[in-house]
Amino acid sequence: MSSTLRQLTPVAAFFLLVLATPFLLRHDYYYLSILTMAGIFAIIVLGLNLLLGFAGQISLGHGALFGIAAYTTAVLTGTYGLPLAVGAVSGVGLTALVAMLIGMPVLKLKGYYLAMATLGFGLIVYIFFNEAIGLTGGPSGFVGIPVLEVFGFVFDSDLSYFYLVWSMVAVALLTSLNLIHSKYGRALMALHISETAAQSMGINIARHKLFVFVLSSVYAGIAGVLYAHYLNFVAPSSFGFHFSVQLITMVVLGGMASLWGGIAGAVFLTVMPEFLRFYENLEVIIYGLILILCMMFLPKGLAGGVCKLLSNVRRRFGREP
Amino acid sequence: MDLASLLQFLASGLTVGSTYGLAALGFTIIFNTTGIINFAQGEFVMLGGILAVVFMHWLDPGLPAAILLAVVATTLVGLLMERLTIRPVRNASAINLIIVTIGVSITIRGLVMLFWGKDTYVLPAFSGMAPIHLLGATIIPQSLWILGIAVVVLALLKGFFSRTIFGRAMLACSFEPRAARLVGISVERMVMASFMLSAFVGAVGGVILTPLTMTSYDVGVLLGMKGFAACILGGLGNPFGAAAGGLILGILEAFGAGLVSSAYKDAIAFVVILGILLWKPSGLFGVPDTERV
Amino acid sequence: MSPDNVALHCRNLSVRFGGVMALCDVDFRVVQGTITALIGPNGAGKTTLLNVVSGLVECCSGTVGLLGQDMTRVPAWARAQAGVVRTFQNLEVFTTMSVLENVMTGAHRDVRYGVLGALFKTPRYFLEERRCRALAEEKLEFVGLFAERSLPAWELPYGRQRLLELARALAAQPQILLLDEPAAGLNTRETQALAGLIRRIRDELNITVAIVEHDMELIMRISDAVTVLHFGQVIASGAPFEIQKNPEVIAAYLGEDAR
Amino acid sequence: MITRILFFALAVMVFISAPAAKAAEPIKVGAVLSVSGPASFLGEPERNTLLLLQDKINAQGGILGRPLEMIIYDDETEVNKAVLAADRLLKRDRVVAAIGGTTSGNTLAIMPKFASARIPLVSCAAAEKIVKPVNPWVFKTPQSDRHAVIKILEHAKSQGYKNIAIITVSDGFGQAGREVLMELIPAHGMNVAADEIYGPKDTDMTPQLTKIRGLNPDAIVCWGTNPGPAVIARNRVQLAMDTPLYMSHGVASKRFIELAGDAAEGLILPAGRLAVADQLSEDHPQKAVLQAYIQEYEARFNTEVSTFGGYAYDALTLIVEAVRRAGEATPQAIRDHLEEIHGFVATGGIFELSAEDHNGLDERAFVIVRIAGGDWELVSD
C-alpha cells in the first residue's frame, strides 16, 4: 500500500503542474496550443514506451496507427455526420483492430527486421491516405472535422482542450504505471531481457507482444482522435515515416523504460523548435546538434539525466550537515 | 504488354535499383562493424552529388576532378562523423547510437541547406544524353554507368572483405569484437574505416546518379529509407544481399508502376517485402540467428 | 514400472542441427518423485535433450511425454504452464528487475487478474499481487535469498544468481523441475548447499527433478537414477552405483580425458 | 548538464520577456509561409517579396501614416506547424490581416481559424477549394488550376488533339490539377487516354511514360512542381517520344529549364505574365508593374524572380489597397473593402474581386509559353 502512495505523490504533483500551467503561462494561448500538441504526442509516446522501452519491440508504424484513428473519426463524423462518440470509439477500435491484424504476423520478426516490417506497414497506410482521395481527401487533406463535444460541453477553446488532452495524458500515465507494476509489466520486461527464460516461466511471448502492441495502438488511437478534433483538419503528411521516427526519438530522448521520461521527451521535442525559430536558417542545424549532444551525454535520456542530477544533489546535501 | 515495354521496365528497375543497392551497401558496411543502422547513410549519397555540383561551379576543375573531390570530401565527412559522434560514446546502446546518427543526418541536411539552399541541382551526364536502342527499349548511357559502377563497387567490396587482411579484420570485428581485440585488431580503427568506406560508397552512388535523377539537400531521406529496405530485404550484414535487395526493390517498383498502378507502386513493393519477411524472417540471403540456450 | 508414475518419458527422440545429429533415437525417463540425472561428456547432447523436453528445440522425430500427456508439439510456454519448468546453464536472470520481481515473474501463471484489473488496479489486483508477493518471498526464503530481495538482480554475485534462478523456477510451482548444470561456477561450499537444497525440493516440495550436471560427486550423492549420453545416444541408464561401474561409461569419460 | 540548465534558463527568459512597447502603432499583417521544407521553392520567394514590400511601403511613409509590420512565420511545409503559426498570429500578435499559407493543404488547415477569429486571410495557394464555396474571410491571389487547364486545353484543341494522357504528382498540387483535368478534358470533347501518378520524390518515371507510350495519345499533360517534371521531360527524351508534352504553371521558373536542359525544348505551358514580362507589348497594363517588381526583387536578393513570389506581392498589395480604401485598418473593414477591389493591376493579372469571387482572376491571367533556346517564348496572349 505504501508503495502505491509513493507512486501517487509524483502523479499528484504532475496533476497540479498541469492545472497550474495555463496560469504560469499567463494564458498565452499560443504556448498553450503547443503544449496541447505536445500532450497529444505524449499519449502516443507513453504507449510506444511500453512497447519499445519495456517489451523491447520497435515500431516505425505508430505514425500510421495514429493516422488511422484520426482519419476514421474524421470520415465518420465529418463525411457521414455520425455522432462524435461513434467516431471516437470506432477510431480507437479500428486502430486496435488493424494493429492486431498487422501485429500477429509481424511481431514474429526481430530487431531491424521488425523495424522494417512496421515501416513498410506505415508506408502502405500513408500511400493509402494519399491515394484514397474519395475517402480521405488525398494529399491536400481532409477538411471539416467537427469540434469535440462531450455531454453537451464543447471543447472549442484552447484552455478546455489543453485540460482535456492533459487529463488524457494523466489517465494514460496512470494506467501505464499500473501496468508496469503488474504481472503483465513483469512479463514484458522479462521477454525483453530473455525470451527463452520468459517462455520457460510460462509466459506466452507471442500473446504478450501482441497485447502490448495493441495496447500501444489504443494509446495512439486516442491521441489520433484528440488530434483530429483539435486541428479540425488532417493531412497525410502528418502521419508519415518522419513522424514515426520522431516518436521513437521522443521515447529514447526522454529515457527508455521511463514513462515520465517519455512525456518529457515529447514535450521537449515539440517545444524546442519554437525556441529555435529565432535562428531561422540555423534552426535545423541546432536541432540536430541538440539531439546528438543529448544522446551522447544523456545516455539514459532526460529522465536519466534528471535522476542523476537529483542523486548528485542529494549526495551533496546529505554529506554536509 | 509488349516485350519492349517489359524491357523498358526492367531497365528502369535496374537503374533505380542500383542506386538503392549502393545505399544499402553503405548500411551493411557500418552494420557489420558496429551493429547499428546509420541513418545518415542517405546524407552521404546526397553529399556526393551536391558536393560534385559545388566543386563544378566553384573550382570548375572538370567533371572527373569534381567527382573525385566530392568523393574524397564525403569520405572525410564519414571520418569526422565517426570521430566526433560515434567514438566518444562507442559503448552506448545501439538505439542511442542510431538516434545520434539521426541527429547527424538532420545536421548535415541543415548545413547543406544553409550553404547551398534548397534548390535542385544537376550534373552533366558522363557521356551524353543520346539514348541507346536495345530491342525496342531505350537506355541512356548514364544508366549503364550506374549499373556498371554499382557492379564494380560490389566486386571490389567482395574482394576487399574476402581477400585483404584489412577487410577480413573488419569482418572479424562484427562477429566477435572482444576476440578481434585479443588477436590484435583495433576495433576503433575498423569502425572508423567502416564509416569512411560507407561514406565513400554512398558518395560514389550520389555522384553517378545525380546526372540522371538530380539532387537537392533532402534526397537522402528517401534514398536512405529505400536503401534500408533493400539491405533488410537482402538480409542484414550480407553485402551481396544488400545489392540484390536494391535491385529487387527497384524492379518491383518499376513493374508495379508499369503493370499495376503507378499510384500504388511503393505500396506494392512494400507489400511484397512484407510477404518475403514473413516467409524468411532474416531476409532473402540473411543467416537466421540461432539463439543459444 | 507403470506409466502413471513416470513424470517424463521421451521416446525415440532425434534432433538434427544442419548435418549434425545432436540426438539420435534417445529414450529418457524420469520417475515421479525422483531426482534423475543426465550425464555425459561435453557435446553429448545433454542440454539439447533438456531443450527438447522444455520445448525450446523441436525434435525431428520421437515423442515427449510429460505428466502422462503427449507434449511433443506443445510450445514451451504451455509446457511451463503445465508444470515443467527449468533453469539455465548460462544464467538467464532478468537482470534489470529486482530479485523479488524476478521471482514474482516466475509465478506469472498463478497470478489471476485480467488486463483491466492491471490497468485500473482493481481490488482483485491487490489481492492477487499480495498473494504472489507472499509466494515469491516464501521461495526466496526457501533458497536463502530473502535478505537480498529488493536488490537489482544484476548486483547479486554469480552463485546467488544461480539460487535466484532456482527460486524463480520454484515460484512457478512446477511438477517437474529441469536443472541445467546448476553447480557450474559454484565453489565447493556452495555446491554442498545446493545438494541439500535439491534434496529438499524433492522431499519437502514433492517436485520431480531432472538434472544435467558435470559434478560427478554431486550427481552420485543426490540422484536416484542416472542416464548417460554419449555422442547423442544413450549408452547406459540405471542406479548411480551401477553407472559408476559401467565399462562403456568409463570408456566414454576416459576418452574425453584422453582428448 | 550545465548546458541543459542554461538552455532551460534561456527558454524561461524567452517565455517571460514581454514584447517591447512601440511608439507609432504599426499595422500588423501576418504571414504563414512554407519557407523551408518541400514547398520552400514557393515559400522562400514569397517571404522575400513580403520583406521587400514592407521596406518599400515603410520607406514611402507607410499606410495611412502608420508603419506596416509584417510578422512572418515559417511552417516548414508541415500542417501542424501551419496551424500553430496561425494560432500564434491570431492570439499573440493580433494581426489585422494575414497572408498564407503557401500550399493548398496548409491554407485549408488554417482557414477555419481565421474565419472564426474574423480576420481576413489572403492565401498564396492555388486550389479552388479555398474560395469555392466562398468563405467570407478567405481570399486567394494565384490563378486557379482550372484556368491553367482551360488555357492548355484550348491550345490542345487548336492543335486538333483528341486523346490526352495525364501524369500528376501525388501531392496537393498534383491532386488539385488531376481533379480539374479529369473534369475538363471530357468537357472539352477530348478523352483521358491515361491517368498516371508519380511520387514527389521519385527519380525515374520511365515506367509511367512507357505505359503512356503504349497507349499512343496525342498529347501528355504533366502536373507537378520541380524536380519531378524535369525528370519527366528528360525521361521523355530518353524514351525517344515525340508526343507533345504540356507542363503546368507549377514549373514556370527558369530553374526548370536549367534542370531539364535540352529536354525542356519545345515544351508548352501556361504561365503568369511575370515570366515573359519583357515580351509583353508596351501598352499591356501589367508590364510596368511586373518590370518594377522584377527589377527590385533581383536587385535586393540577387537571385532570379519567380512567379510564386508574385502571389505574395499581390496578396500584400491587395490588403494595402483595401486598407487605403477603407481608411482604417480593422479586420472587418479590410475584408469588406477587399471585396470591392476592381481593375487592380498586379503581377498575377488584373483583379476583379467581388462578394462571389474571392480570387478575381480568370484564364486571361495566363499566357501560353513555349520553351525555346533555353528561354520562354510567348505563344499566345
Side-chain angles (χ1 to χ4, degrees):
Chain A
M1 277 304 146
S2 71
S3 73
T4 314
L5 264 181
R6 223 178 310 133
Q7 273 168 41
L8 279 178
T9 325
V11 174
F14 170 72
F15 241 112
L16 283 177
L17 182 67
V18 167
L19 275 176
T21 301
F23 302 97
L24 292 176
L25 293 178
R26 294 184 295 174
H27 285 85
D28 183 324
Y29 290 111
Y30 177 63
Y31 283 112
L32 215 52
S33 56
I34 290 171
L35 285 177
T36 305
M37 208 61 103
I40 291 174
F41 297 152
I43 297 174
I44 321 178
V45 167
L46 278 169
L48 197 58
N49 208 342
L50 290 177
L51 182 72
L52 179 64
F54 288 92
Q57 309 299 309
I58 197 161
S59 166
L60 289 174
H62 267 55
L65 291 168
F66 174 60
I68 289 175
Y71 268 107
T72 307
T73 184
V75 170
L76 290 182
T77 59
T79 312
Y80 297 105
L82 293 174
L84 284 160
V86 177
V89 171
S90 333
V92 177
L94 186 70
T95 308
L97 184 71
V98 171
M100 194 159 98
L101 292 178
I102 193 75
M104 272 196 282
V106 153
L107 287 168
K108 292 196 184 84
L109 300 173
K110 293 200 169 87
Y112 293 120
Y113 294 93
L114 179 62
M116 180 65 234
T118 48
L119 186 155
F121 157 73
L123 208 80
I124 292 165
V125 172
Y126 177 73
I127 292 170
F128 176 79
F129 290 157
N130 266 302
E131 300 301 334
I133 293 170
L135 195 67
T136 62
S140 56
F142 186 101
V143 202
I145 304 170
V147 176
L148 197 64
E149 195 187 322
V150 180
F151 301 124
F153 186 85
V154 185
F155 287 93
D156 57 352
S157 74
D158 284 279
L159 190 64
S160 60
Y161 222 93
F162 171 83
Y163 281 131
L164 172 73
V165 164
W166 280 91
S167 351
M168 289 311 292
V169 175
V171 171
L173 175 68
L174 270 178
T175 48
S176 308
L177 282 172
N178 285 351
L179 188 85
I180 58 170
H181 291 112
S182 76
K183 68 170 193 169
Y184 298 101
R186 291 191 293 268
L188 295 179
M189 285 184 265
L191 73 84
H192 183 181
I193 300 163
S194 164
E195 292 200 5
T196 357
Q199 58 184 329
S200 302
M201 294 297 112
I203 294 166
N204 184 343
I205 291 180
R207 236 180 61 198
H208 277 83
K209 281 186 190 172
L210 188 61
F211 156 69
V212 69
F213 189 67
V214 172
L215 183 72
S216 73
S217 83
V218 168
Y219 285 36
I222 291 170
V225 169
L226 288 172
Y227 176 83
H229 292 287
Y230 179 57
L231 288 190
N232 310 113
F233 172 88
V234 286
S237 56
S238 327
F239 309 118
F241 167 65
H242 178 77
F243 182 59
S244 291
V245 172
Q246 197 170 10
L247 288 174
I248 299 282
T249 310
M250 286 173 179
V251 173
V252 181
L253 186 72
M256 294 259 283
S258 161
L259 295 170
W260 294 98
I263 296 178
V267 172
F268 184 73
L269 281 186
T270 317
V271 174
M272 182 172 68
E274 296 305 317
F275 294 121
L276 298 184
R277 275 175 186 276
F278 305 108
Y279 304 101
E280 299 224 357
N281 287 334
L282 293 175
E283 177 187 334
V284 184
I285 302 169
I286 297 173
Y287 180 93
L289 288 177
I290 289 178
L291 196 58
I292 298 172
L293 293 176
C294 281
M295 282 335 292
M296 285 174 71
F297 298 112
L298 298 173
K300 294 214 171 2
L302 298 176
V306 171
C307 284
K308 213 164 144 194
L309 188 71
L310 282 181
S311 75
N312 280 351
V313 168
R314 212 170 286 158
R315 205 176 312 146
R316 185 164 304 166
F317 285 93
R319 260 190 220 145
E320 291 161 32
Chain B
M1 244 332 108
D2 54 324
L3 180 70
S5 295
L6 293 178
L7 268 177
Q8 195 71 57
F9 297 151
L10 186 68
S12 161
L14 288 176
T15 313
V16 175
S18 307
T19 66
Y20 297 163
L22 281 175
L25 273 179
F27 279 112
T28 307
I29 294 165
I30 288 181
F31 175 81
N32 272 348
T33 48
T34 61
I36 66 166
I37 288 291
N38 171 26
F39 265 82
Q41 190 60 39
E43 272 56 45
F44 290 157
V45 181
M46 177 270 286
L47 276 178
I50 288 270
L51 289 178
V53 174
V54 168
F55 286 126
M56 274 292 274
H57 283 267
W58 182 31
L59 301 172
D60 195 19
L63 189 59
I67 287 173
L68 192 70
L69 281 172
V71 172
V72 171
T74 310
T75 310
L76 289 178
V77 171
L79 169 73
L80 274 180
M81 174 180 173
E82 196 274 338
R83 270 300 172 92
L84 295 179
T85 67
I86 303 297
R87 185 174 296 194
V89 286
R90 58 182 169 274
N91 295 324
S93 70
I95 184 109
N96 281 26
L97 287 174
I98 291 170
I99 305 282
V100 168
T101 68
I102 292 178
V104 171
S105 84
I106 292 172
T107 310
I108 292 180
R109 272 204 299 280
L111 285 169
V112 168
M113 200 161 75
L114 183 69
F115 290 124
W116 300 296
K118 298 151 203 155
D119 267 336
T120 306
Y121 296 97
V122 68
L123 272 182
F126 295 0
S127 42
M129 292 288 287
I132 302 162
H133 293 260
L134 193 87
L135 296 171
T138 47
I139 302 164
I140 42 175
Q142 193 66 29
S143 293
L144 298 180
W145 275 104
I146 292 176
L147 261 175
I149 290 179
V151 169
V152 169
V153 167
L154 182 65
L156 285 178
L157 274 182
K158 182 139 182 60
F160 175 72
F161 279 124
S162 59
R163 297 279 162 75
T164 67
I165 293 190
F166 203 80
R168 286 189 182 175
M170 270 172 87
L171 272 188
C173 291
S174 66
F175 294 131
E176 202 51 80
R178 262 212 333 241
R181 199 168 280 131
L182 282 180
V183 297
I185 298 171
S186 158
V187 176
E188 281 78 22
R189 257 178 64 202
M190 295 303 140
V191 171
M192 187 177 87
S194 77
F195 270 83
M196 291 174 71
L197 191 58
S198 86
F200 170 82
V201 171
V204 168
V207 156
I208 57 176
L209 66 90
T210 300
L212 190 66
T213 66
M214 301 183 267
T215 191
S216 62
Y217 77 102
D218 59 351
V219 292
V221 181
L222 188 83
L223 270 171
M225 192 178 77
K226 296 285 172 79
F228 176 55
C231 74
I232 292 287
L233 176 64
L236 205 46
N238 178 347
F240 167 74
L247 290 181
I248 294 171
L249 185 58
I251 290 172
L252 276 174
E253 283 181 9
F255 278 86
L259 298 181
V260 192
S261 150
S262 49
Y264 284 97
K265 71 179 165 60
D266 285 334
I268 296 164
F270 277 93
V271 166
V272 174
I273 292 181
L274 276 181
I276 290 175
L277 282 184
L278 296 181
W279 166 53
K280 290 197 121 175
S282 307
L284 283 173
F285 308 100
V287 192
D289 59 347
T290 42
E291 259 184 85
R292 286 190 47 172
V293 184
Chain C
M1 227 173 278
S2 62
D4 51 23
N5 67 5
V6 177
L8 160 64
H9 197 172
C10 300
R11 265 180 268 236
N12 310 105
L13 279 184
S14 294
V15 172
R16 200 190 302 268
F17 293 131
V20 185
M21 208 60 175
L23 289 178
C24 181
D25 209 23
V26 167
D27 276 8
F28 177 52
R29 241 167 30 153
V30 177
V31 176
Q32 195 119 47
T34 63
I35 296 173
T36 303
L38 191 59
I39 62 169
N42 276 331
K46 307 178 299 282
T47 294
T48 305
L49 180 55
L50 218 56
N51 286 346
V52 173
V53 172
S54 55
L56 296 177
V57 167
E58 272 197 40
C59 53
C60 320
S61 62
T63 58
V64 181
L66 291 167
L67 307 164
Q69 279 175 303
D70 180 15
M71 293 218 181
T72 320
R73 298 274 163 252
V74 173
W77 62 269
R79 295 189 202 196
Q81 294 210 336
V84 184
V85 179
R86 66 171 294 175
T87 66
F88 296 89
Q89 180 185 344
N90 324 309
L91 293 175
E92 299 271 350
V93 167
F94 304 134
T95 39
T96 56
M97 298 156 83
S98 76
V99 168
L100 183 67
E101 280 174 324
N102 260 279
V103 184
M104 285 170 82
T105 309
H108 181 81
R109 68 159 174 151
D110 194 41
V111 185
R112 283 165 231 278
Y113 53 79
V115 173
L116 293 179
L119 289 177
F120 300 107
K121 285 203 176 170
T122 54
R124 173 106 192 213
Y125 162 88
F126 288 106
L127 205 73
E128 287 287 308
E129 279 292 295
R130 218 172 306 146
R131 200 171 60 78
C132 173
R133 174 185 285 260
L135 176 78
E137 283 171 349
E138 179 198 317
K139 300 303 172 198
L140 281 173
E141 202 129 31
F142 185 84
V143 301
L145 268 179
F146 186 74
E148 287 109 314
R149 67 189 180 285
S150 45
L151 287 181
W154 57 268
E155 279 188 13
L156 289 185
Y158 190 81
R160 309 296 279 169
Q161 291 199 18
R162 283 234 172 267
L163 292 179
L164 175 57
E165 268 213 350
L166 202 56
R168 186 179 71 186
L170 290 175
Q173 297 182 298
Q175 288 174 273
I176 307 173
L177 181 62
L178 309 172
L179 302 176
D180 194 356
E181 303 204 15
L186 299 190
N187 60 34
T188 334
R189 204 164 46 87
E190 287 169 329
T191 310
Q192 295 264 342
L194 182 72
L197 206 54
I198 295 175
R199 275 214 208 93
R200 281 175 61 210
I201 289 173
R202 178 191 60 188
D203 300 335
E204 292 175 23
L205 305 177
N206 291 321
I207 296 171
T208 310
V209 178
I211 174 171
V212 166
E213 189 45 73
H214 266 299
D215 189 326
M216 278 308 151
E217 207 186 327
L218 176 71
I219 291 296
M220 294 308 158
R221 202 141 53 97
I222 63 170
S223 48
D224 304 306
V226 179
T227 297
V228 189
L229 274 180
H230 189 42
F231 289 123
Q233 281 174 308
V234 176
I235 54 171
S237 64
F241 63 90
E242 295 169 8
I243 296 297
Q244 269 175 316
K245 284 180 269 177
N246 187 314
E248 227 177 312
V249 176
I250 294 165
Y253 274 89
L254 279 179
E256 188 195 35
D257 287 345
R259 252 188 309 167
Chain D
M1 197 46 60
I2 286 164
T3 49
R4 252 172 45 78
I5 293 168
L6 280 177
F7 177 76
F8 272 109
L10 186 76
V12 169
M13 274 161 59
V14 174
F15 256 114
I16 292 167
S17 62
K22 295 203 171 64
E25 188 67 28
I27 296 175
K28 286 185 181 178
V29 175
V32 182
L33 300 173
S34 306
V35 184
S36 55
S40 59
F41 71 98
L42 300 164
E44 207 168 13
E46 286 167 0
R47 185 203 44 196
N48 289 348
T49 302
L50 291 182
L51 294 174
L52 177 76
L53 272 178
Q54 171 185 246
D55 294 351
K56 188 177 157 190
I57 290 169
N58 287 336
Q60 293 169 352
I63 319 162
L64 308 176
R66 292 164 65 188
L68 169 70
E69 185 186 346
M70 284 303 308
I71 302 162
I72 305 172
Y73 293 128
D74 175 14
D75 62 31
E76 299 166 33
T77 324
E78 272 182 40
V79 74
N80 293 336
K81 300 220 163 124
V83 172
L84 290 174
D87 261 344
R88 189 163 169 163
L89 285 178
L90 293 171
K91 290 168 188 160
R92 293 194 86 193
D93 305 321
R94 304 195 178 279
V95 296
V96 293
I99 296 167
T102 296
T103 64
S104 303
N106 287 359
T107 303
L108 291 170
I110 63 176
M111 265 167 56
K113 298 252 174 205
F114 284 91
S116 65
R118 304 175 72 79
I119 301 289
L121 174 72
V122 185
S123 169
C124 298
E128 262 184 330
K129 275 196 244 176
I130 295 169
V131 291
K132 209 181 215 180
V134 170
N135 179 324
W137 294 93
V138 182
F139 300 79
K140 75 164 180 129
T141 53
Q143 311 89 334
S144 285
D145 296 328
R146 174 173 302 270
H147 306 135
V149 170
I150 291 174
K151 216 59 188 177
I152 289 176
L153 294 181
E154 278 173 356
H155 185 268
K157 213 168 182 177
S158 71
Q159 305 292 310
Y161 301 146
K162 279 294 292 171
N163 294 312
I164 312 286
I166 64 173
I167 177 163
T168 57
V169 64
S170 62
D171 63 16
F173 182 74
Q175 182 198 345
R178 181 170 170 269
E179 278 164 13
V180 181
L181 282 164
M182 297 295 268
E183 176 197 334
L184 290 182
I185 291 174
H188 278 71
M190 294 182 256
N191 304 321
V192 180
D195 170 20
E196 294 295 322
I197 307 270
Y198 69 91
K201 297 241 170 265
D202 285 359
T203 52
D204 181 26
M205 281 61 126
T206 51
Q208 287 94 326
L209 287 177
T210 305
K211 211 164 140 187
I212 289 175
R213 183 174 64 178
L215 297 164
N216 204 19
D218 298 324
I220 305 169
V221 180
C222 165
W223 214 265
T225 49
N226 284 333
V231 176
I232 289 176
R234 289 158 152 252
N235 287 164
R236 169 174 167 269
V237 173
Q238 177 196 343
L239 293 176
M241 291 169 77
D242 48 14
T243 320
L245 176 57
Y246 290 96
M247 286 288 168
S248 72
H249 53 300
V251 296
S253 68
K254 276 284 174 60
R255 192 84 213 147
F256 170 72
I257 303 181
E258 278 168 41
L259 290 176
D262 291 344
E265 290 297 302
L267 301 187
I268 302 168
L269 57 136
R273 288 188 173 77
L274 188 66
V276 287
D278 291 338
Q279 299 175 41
L280 294 175
S281 61
E282 284 304 325
D283 57 348
H284 194 283
Q286 278 183 272
K287 185 152 186 167
V289 175
L290 289 170
Q291 283 185 325
Y293 170 52
I294 294 169
Q295 192 266 324
E296 284 163 16
Y297 187 97
E298 293 183 351
R300 169 148 175 192
F301 296 105
N302 205 19
T303 55
E304 204 161 346
V305 74
S306 105
T307 328
F308 316 122
Y311 301 154
Y313 182 96
D314 297 356
L316 185 55
T317 49
L318 280 172
I319 290 173
V320 170
E321 175 72 9
V323 173
R324 289 214 170 106
R325 285 182 183 218
E328 57 169 330
T330 61
Q332 184 72 43
I334 294 174
R335 192 214 81 85
D336 293 345
H337 284 85
L338 272 173
E339 277 184 353
E340 281 162 17
I341 294 178
H342 298 290
F344 185 77
V345 179
T347 68
I350 300 162
F351 284 85
E352 298 284 347
L353 292 160
S354 69
E356 294 77 41
D357 185 355
H358 275 195
N359 179 14
L361 295 175
D362 59 18
E363 64 267 22
R364 281 172 300 175
F366 282 115
V367 289
I368 288 286
V369 298
R370 184 200 310 276
I371 298 168
D375 203 351
W376 313 108
E377 179 191 274
L378 190 59
V379 175
S380 66
D381 199 338

